[in-house]
Amino acid sequence: IKLIKMPPKKQYNQEEESEEEPSQSSSEGEEQSSSGSEDGSGDDSEFPDVSDNDAEDSSDGDEDIQELQVEFEFFSPEEKDFLGLKALLVPYLNGQEFDSSALIDAIIAEGDVGSVVKTDSDDDPIAIMSVLSTHKYGEANFMKQIRQFLLDSCPKQAIGAKLADLCRQAFDSKGTGLILNERFINAPPKLSPPLVMFLMDAIKERAQPGQPEAEHFDFKRFLLATRVYMDKGASTRSGAISNGAMAGAAGAGPSSSSGGKGDGSSQRPAKKQKQEEVPSTSTSQPLPAAAEIIFSRPEDQYFHEHCSWYYTFPVESRPVGKDGLQQCRLVMQIDMDKIPAALKVLDEEVGNMAKDGGSNEQDVAKMAEEAMEAAAAAGAGKGAGKKKKKAAGGKAKAIQL
């Protein structure tokens, strides 16, 4: 990350200029006085042309470029992060009011499953990535509001009804996790691979037999509603259902007991049902090519490439910008067995600083020890234990960009 430090603008000193060029300034002053008296506009000598000074400043600015190393640390969400998380998650439903406080409380309650990114432990988070079980929190008001918002936002064409069924079935089935992934727009892309890796590692750990609520972390599929951009000429309300090799991902949706709504085919497996539905729907509504979607977060692109279905809709509260791009929401389902392939490509394309930066066991152990010593010196007490736990798991690794 580069910080450009601009030198202070040179002050215009009329007296110094007069000493250097007395004859020129004198003649210019007489001309300005005479012109001012003729057109009645007054003396303009107090508003000199400093374009030469600005040009000189620009040329000098290159010499003052400084490169800063910024450390980003990953922590478990805590109570002290509440207001920072509020700022990140309040716009989650495109400005529509919902019980965001209860959502944040649930994220904090899940502890190590989620990660927040900060530049210092006492700063507000600049990013959050976590997951909540739609089954565990199915009766929570915030989950009902999110569910209804996403269902209401489905395209209205023929394929939209089938997408709404798939979305509804995913929400209502066991083994579905709602990924919450928000960050500041200027957050570095290289934060993406560690965030996804830490999330999947935490899910794997919490799903182990004997862990508290292990059944709620035995995820088969994930739902993700993320922000993307589309050209104003593209169809911003559309979607697609995978077929062929992707048809297996469709089966990650609901079991046959929750599927088959309104299609009279509840006896058939969901996988076969979806394969037969795709041709008729895909021809009735033109589907946007992936190239028409501009991803602001790297992981979303690779999730999209491996998703079993998706749809988009515009953020009505955000007008089309001067660049002709419309902010949209992309809703998709990604099956657990597709995550490793997506994460592999993400690591290859973006680079995983948590792996490449030397995050081996010795480094992590050393970091944990240093974190505990610093926390003890500051009298952190209870908070020190939490940070050590994160460091021991590799999630408090500091990443330099």
Side-chain angles (χ1 to χ4, degrees):
I1 299 176
K2 291 185 177 180
L3 175 65
I4 299 177
K5 181 180 178 182
M6 299 298 293
K9 287 190 175 182
K10 296 182 179 179
Q11 298 295 324
Y12 178 80
N13 193 323
Q14 190 172 5
E15 294 179 359
E16 292 180 1
E17 183 176 338
S18 299
E19 293 176 1
E20 294 175 0
E21 300 176 350
S23 60
Q24 181 179 353
S25 60
S26 176
S27 60
E28 288 179 354
E30 293 176 359
E31 292 177 0
Q32 290 172 353
S33 299
S34 59
S35 61
S37 60
E38 290 175 0
D39 58 14
S41 58
D43 188 3
D44 293 336
S45 59
E46 60 178 316
F47 303 109
D49 183 5
V50 293
S51 57
D52 293 340
N53 290 341
D54 289 343
E56 189 175 345
D57 290 347
S58 300
S59 62
D60 293 342
D62 295 338
E63 300 176 0
D64 294 314
I65 294 177
Q66 296 179 354
E67 186 171 329
L68 299 181
Q69 296 293 329
V70 180
E71 275 194 349
F72 294 96
E73 297 182 273
F74 296 74
F75 300 90
S76 296
E78 301 180 69
E79 288 292 341
K80 65 181 181 180
D81 301 321
F82 184 90
L83 294 179
L85 292 175
K86 189 91 170 175
L88 287 168
L89 292 169
V90 161
Y92 185 68
L93 300 188
N94 296 350
Q96 180 176 310
E97 290 187 7
F98 74 109
D99 195 356
S100 59
S101 295
L103 170 63
I104 296 168
D105 287 338
I107 292 174
I108 294 173
E110 295 297 352
D112 283 355
V113 174
S115 296
V116 294
V117 181
K118 307 179 185 180
T119 54
D120 184 84
S121 61
D122 294 327
D123 290 341
D124 285 335
I126 65 168
I128 169 68
M129 192 171 194
S130 188
V131 64
L132 297 177
S133 168
T134 61
H135 184 260
K136 176 182 177 180
Y137 293 98
E139 295 303 315
N141 193 37
F142 71 84
M143 189 64 76
K144 291 180 179 179
Q145 291 170 325
I146 294 173
R147 178 182 183 274
Q148 193 60 47
F149 174 79
L150 296 181
L151 290 175
D152 291 344
S153 301
C154 280
K156 304 304 180 185
Q157 296 82 0
I159 194 174
K162 300 183 184 301
L163 286 166
D165 282 343
L166 291 170
C167 186
R168 185 181 299 108
Q169 291 165 8
F171 261 106
D172 297 343
S173 299
K174 288 185 178 181
T176 300
L178 176 66
I179 293 179
L180 299 149
N181 185 24
E182 295 293 333
R183 70 194 67 161
F184 290 153
I185 193 170
N186 59 344
K190 287 191 176 182
L191 294 178
S192 297
L195 280 169
V196 181
M197 184 186 74
F198 292 153
L199 179 66
M200 295 304 150
D201 288 348
I203 290 172
K204 183 178 179 180
E205 182 180 347
R206 292 288 293 271
Q208 294 296 321
Q211 290 288 337
E213 299 185 326
E215 70 277 7
H216 291 307
F217 294 94
D218 186 19
F219 293 122
K220 303 297 188 296
R221 71 204 69 88
F222 298 100
L223 292 176
L224 175 63
T226 188
R227 298 184 187 278
V228 295
Y229 293 86
M230 299 182 72
D231 189 89
K232 62 179 181 180
S235 175
T236 56
R237 287 189 180 274
S238 196
I241 302 173
S242 63
N243 57 2
M246 288 289 195
S255 62
S256 57
S257 61
S258 62
K261 283 189 178 182
D263 57 31
S265 56
S266 58
Q267 300 298 322
R268 293 180 294 175
K271 179 177 178 179
K272 182 178 179 182
Q273 170 187 351
K274 193 164 186 181
Q275 284 178 314
E276 295 180 358
E277 288 178 346
V278 171
S280 60
T281 58
S282 61
T283 55
S284 62
Q285 167 66 20
L287 302 179
E292 294 180 345
I293 300 176
I294 301 172
F295 298 92
S296 57
R297 300 165 189 162
E299 68 273 26
D300 294 339
Q301 178 178 349
Y302 305 112
F303 286 159
H304 178 263
E305 291 176 359
H306 293 84
C307 71
S308 56
W309 55 262
Y310 77 92
Y311 62 89
T312 60
F313 59 93
V315 179
E316 303 288 358
S317 59
R318 295 292 184 92
V320 177
K322 294 180 180 180
D323 51 7
L325 297 178
Q326 170 69 60
Q327 187 177 124
C328 298
R329 278 288 194 176
L330 168 66
V331 183
M332 53 185 163
Q333 175 182 309
I334 314 100
D335 289 306
M336 174 62 93
D337 59 1
K338 300 293 181 182
I339 293 292
L343 187 53
K344 180 181 178 182
V345 179
L346 180 63
D347 288 350
E348 292 173 351
E349 297 295 328
V350 180
N352 194 333
M353 299 291 288
K355 293 180 178 179
D356 303 336
S359 58
N360 53 46
E361 293 181 1
Q362 293 180 349
D363 290 340
V364 171
K366 182 178 179 181
M367 244 187 94
E369 185 178 352
E370 291 175 352
M372 282 295 292
E373 291 175 356
K382 183 179 178 181
K386 284 193 175 183
K387 187 166 184 180
K388 180 181 179 182
K389 183 178 180 182
K390 291 291 260 187
K395 293 185 69 176
K397 174 73 177 176
I399 294 178
Q400 282 195 346
L401 297 178

